[in-house]
Amino acid sequence: MENLSVYLPGIILAYSAFLLAIASPGPNILAVIGTSMSVGRKSGIALAFGVAGGSFAWAVLTVAGLSALLAAYSSALFVIKVFGGLYLLWLAYKSFKSAASAHDIEAKQLEGGERTPMGYMTRGFIIQMTNPKAALAWIAIISLGLKQDAPMWVGLVIVAGTFILSIIIHTLYAVAFSTPIMVAIYSRARRYIQATLGAFFAFAGIKLLTSRT
């Protein structure tokens, strides 16, 4: 891996953005939490693996698409960074708005009754792949790690690392929230978590918009 020190800061920033993004429960996380609480830990973990698989698919598609686009149009990186930066600032706004709200998370069981583990895994994959915000989030995350003329291994490291993190974090959600007490603990800390997320997304968005490479 040539010039690791050049690309490592961007890779770490991409990892950080991914970790903080899944720290704020969206439809996929709420589905994992709701399934773990209402059906059981085993089903929640199966759903978590499906969601992680969906995250991996989005990451691969995004890296492949952006790499092909940059290979054809070198100036496209500027547009991608502007788009990604604006989306991160939008996430910052949403996080700050959530921090100011008294509304708590609502984890519900999936419709359609109980399923086999494979059924929950498939459902998790579908939930993630049909979430339009996932595509926008991955463009922002990958654009944080990619520089102009970045070698292929940079994208592969981001994809592999986020996939491992996705499996770990989603599984932890399934295990932790299989008991109602964890929902109460998260609800009490929610505003602080959302405010922290907002600050990070604002920082990452500004950094992406002001970067030259």
Side-chain angles (χ1 to χ4, degrees):
M1 294 183 182
E2 70 273 17
N3 300 323
L4 177 62
S5 61
V6 174
Y7 301 105
L8 186 59
I11 293 172
I12 293 175
L13 190 57
Y15 286 168
S16 300
F18 176 75
L19 280 173
L20 291 177
I22 61 177
S24 179
N28 52 344
I29 299 297
L30 293 179
V32 171
I33 292 173
T35 300
S36 293
M37 291 182 60
S38 59
V39 183
R41 182 176 298 177
K42 182 178 179 180
S43 297
I45 291 175
L47 188 69
F49 271 76
V51 171
S55 292
F56 176 76
W58 273 121
V60 171
L61 291 173
T62 305
V63 169
L66 293 186
S67 296
L69 184 62
L70 293 177
Y73 307 98
S74 59
S75 60
L77 183 61
F78 173 76
V79 177
I80 294 169
K81 285 185 177 293
V82 170
F83 178 83
L86 292 176
Y87 182 69
L88 287 170
L89 291 179
W90 169 252
L91 290 180
Y93 164 75
K94 296 288 288 183
S95 295
F96 286 131
K97 183 178 179 181
S98 178
S101 173
H103 181 68
D104 287 331
I105 60 175
E106 294 181 355
K108 300 178 180 179
Q109 182 179 355
L110 293 173
E111 297 179 357
E114 295 188 18
R115 299 169 171 82
T116 63
M118 181 57 67
Y120 278 109
M121 190 177 298
T122 302
R123 180 58 174 161
F125 183 83
I126 292 173
I127 289 174
Q128 186 70 349
M129 291 304 296
T130 55
N131 181 9
K133 292 182 180 180
L136 300 177
W138 274 109
I139 290 175
I141 290 169
I142 298 300
S143 61
L144 284 169
L146 286 181
K147 292 178 176 289
Q148 186 70 49
D149 299 322
M152 180 61 68
W153 67 261
V154 175
L156 294 177
V157 167
I158 294 175
V159 170
T162 53
F163 179 52
I164 293 171
L165 290 172
S166 183
I167 292 176
I168 294 172
I169 301 302
H170 285 98
T171 301
L172 286 176
Y173 269 118
V175 173
F177 285 90
S178 58
T179 56
I181 190 172
M182 287 303 302
V183 176
I185 293 174
Y186 183 89
S187 296
R188 286 195 292 269
R190 180 185 58 84
R191 287 185 170 181
Y192 301 102
I193 293 173
Q194 293 294 343
T196 301
L197 293 176
F200 174 83
F201 287 136
F203 165 78
I206 293 172
K207 181 176 178 62
L208 196 57
L209 289 173
T210 57
S211 64
R212 295 183 180 181
T213 56

